[in-house]
Amino acid sequence: MLEESITKLAGVGEKRAQALADLGIETIEDLLSYYPFRYDDIKERNLAEINDQEKVTIKGLVVSPPVVNRFGYKKSRLQFRMMQDREVFNVSFFNQPYLKDKIVVSEDIAIYGKWDAKRKSLTGMKILGANQEGDFAPIYHVSKAVRQHTLVDLIKKAFTRFADQLEENLPLSLREKYRLLGRKEAMYAMHFPQDLNEYHQAKRRIVFEEFFLFQMKIQGLKQAEKSEKHGIVIAYDVDRVKSFTRSLPFTLTDAQKRVTNEICRDFLRAKHMQRLLQGDVGSGKTVVAAIALYAAVTAGFQGALMVPTEILAQQHLASLNQLFESVEVHTALLTSSTKPKERQEIIEQLQSGKIDIVVGTHALIQEGVDFSNLGLVITDEQHRFGVNQRQGLREKGFQPDVLFMTATPIPRTLAITAYGEMDVSIIDEMPAGRIPVKTHWIKHGQLTDALKNAQLELRTGRQMYVICPLIEESEMLDVQNAVELYEQLNDFFAPEFAVGLLHGKMKNEEKEAIMKAFKENEIQVLVSTTVIEVGVDVPNASTMLIMDADRFGLAQLHQLRGRVGRGQEASYCILVANPKNELGKERMKIMTETNNGFTVSQKDLELRGPGEVFGFKQSGLPEFVAADIVADANILEVAKEEAQNLWEQKNWQLLPENAGLLAYLKEMNKENQFFD
Ligand code: ADP
Ligand code: MG
């Protein structure tokens, strides 16, 4: 019944229903959970204690008849005098002449408005009804077609008629443990709290409910993955894997060893691996991927490595081939620009099992390439793939183990929500001998000096990246900017140093040629839009200069910064920015103060919210109504733990106290509302 259309409510016709739908309210339940975004404090106050310009409710006696003055066509002022504790003061309402009838001399009245202490007058905003409950008036996001009071009326009506149908969806034991209000009570109090405490209690309950239900779904998914029937066992050859690891040009860091073990343990179990591998830029994820892929190959499986861009695909293949020098592994590259004939060959060899490992862009899987025995899929720079794409991967009808790698350190609260269905491995240690990148923030006016310093650095034989401003609105402008910046820098550095340009509008071959020239040090200064953001590895580059750095997300800046500092010598990141406000300055300062990716993204999360951390619209984050994953992070942790606990009780679905929860989850999953 709660899913029924709001037209079931008296007073909601087709036109109003449309207006409500524009606010996202279509069903009774939508209406009941359309919570205020703030409340006005309408507690009655005494004149003596009110500050100038404070918004308050004052109750008193009307002592003079109301008078309306009109100016021009639509403007008017309604005035009268009120008395409280023998003190008389003026009240005015602007442009609401019709309130005149509600003001009756010698009667009590309560008015909400703004107090002017000097002039002893109240600018009225609202006349409060005699039956006003509580100390707060809810304020909703409304539209021209649906006004505050209309919405309040409708919500009250809906509660009167339908509140009985609001079934409890949290088990009693949890409600008792965390002293949570009942669902009905909490939802009502979200709209009409008696006092601040009641509001806090209601909010706590609703937030817990949202997180808990979401986590029940996520943990349920995880549980299903764990069930043995879905997965495969990758029985790798321990000795061969060990000797491969020994053949590497360096010893693994402890963190690399730990995550490799975590992955290998998953291989041996029949459960379906779904693991997120997090590691800061340069922490050495590629070699972990190589070991995992090789292990799968020793078990007779094929592996696929998917990345977001062509350039990155080529680079990864080159790195893998280098690492695989001492072992016999057949690799191939398959992207959308692979020539048809070659493509056909590769596909045939994948089907026949001749190729062990294929590296490619995401199109690799989407275009339905058949494998003879695919056992492991690894995706790099995972944050670029949304939840849907992740699920799409699974719906292709094969069941390989999956490892998602990301260099965007994801704060724990975000990881729980965005990737809650996965196990997480973290590389929290850099290979020995790295010197942290020194980050400087300069204003545009200091650019010439910075370029002179960069010139000195270039003269020591090193190379430099220059990142163009990020212009999302227009690709044309983006390219134009890049070209201009390239010309400026060419004027500055040529003929001593060669300057190259890389932007999104260039053809793949052109991009590749430029990248190759940079890698081989034929180009010393590479001017680029953010196409190089991910994964590029040129250890000789020691300076990263980012124009208009304040336009980027901090996590993105951190990624870009990670392009330098890959060699054994000191390197520099120069942020050029004139931020317009304190927030912008704060963000630049954070970058200069820390090199830790987790700290950077946690700060970005706090300063700018979840959507911005990833720097991409499609981040796969669920939307919560009342809950906020930053502000309510503690509740999120608890809710996650409790959901996990409940799933671990094998028979939880049979217990009577969970009946409400179960029914609710079933209903919810029908609509699949968490994943757009
Ligand atoms: P990312 O995690 O950003 O993908 P890479 O895998 O590209 O990092 O590794 C960065 C660089 O560090 C590469 O040049 C790689 O060869 C090197 N590297 C990786 N692991 C180690 C290690 N244990 N010791 C020394 N160098 C390493
Ligand atoms: Mg990488």
Side-chain angles (χ1 to χ4, degrees), residues 525-624:
V525 179
L526 181 63
V527 180
S528 171
T529 53
T530 49
V531 290
I532 67 137
E533 181 198 341
V534 278
V536 178
D537 193 20
V538 180
N540 190 47
S542 65
T543 304
M544 166 65 66
L545 187 140
I546 304 172
M547 300 298 291
D548 286 344
D550 50 333
R551 296 199 191 189
F552 294 86
L554 293 190
Q556 240 176 324
L557 288 177
H558 183 70
Q559 285 259 321
L560 288 167
R561 174 166 67 182
R563 296 303 120 220
V564 295
R566 309 198 136 212
Q568 301 291 324
E569 273 144 279
S571 48
Y572 309 91
C573 175
I574 297 151
L575 307 173
V576 186
N578 295 12
K580 286 189 282 294
N581 52 32
E582 285 307 311
L583 174 65
K585 290 178 193 162
E586 180 64 27
R587 295 174 68 243
M588 292 304 104
K589 275 196 208 131
I590 290 167
M591 291 303 296
T592 63
E593 283 162 8
T594 180
N595 262 307
N596 181 315
F598 279 95
T599 311
V600 166
S601 59
Q602 179 63 37
K603 291 278 183 198
D604 216 12
L605 177 64
E606 286 162 15
L607 290 175
R608 300 203 309 166
E612 304 291 341
V613 172
F614 294 93
F616 301 97
K617 296 269 173 322
Q618 183 196 37
S619 57
L621 284 175
E623 301 226 344
F624 296 108

Side-chain angles (χ1 to χ4, degrees), residues 250-253 256 280-286 431 434 537 566:
F250 41 73
T251 44
L252 297 183
T253 62
Q256 284 171 321
D280 216 334
V281 206
S283 63
K285 292 181 296 296
T286 314
R434 291 278 167 78
D537 193 20
R566 309 198 136 212

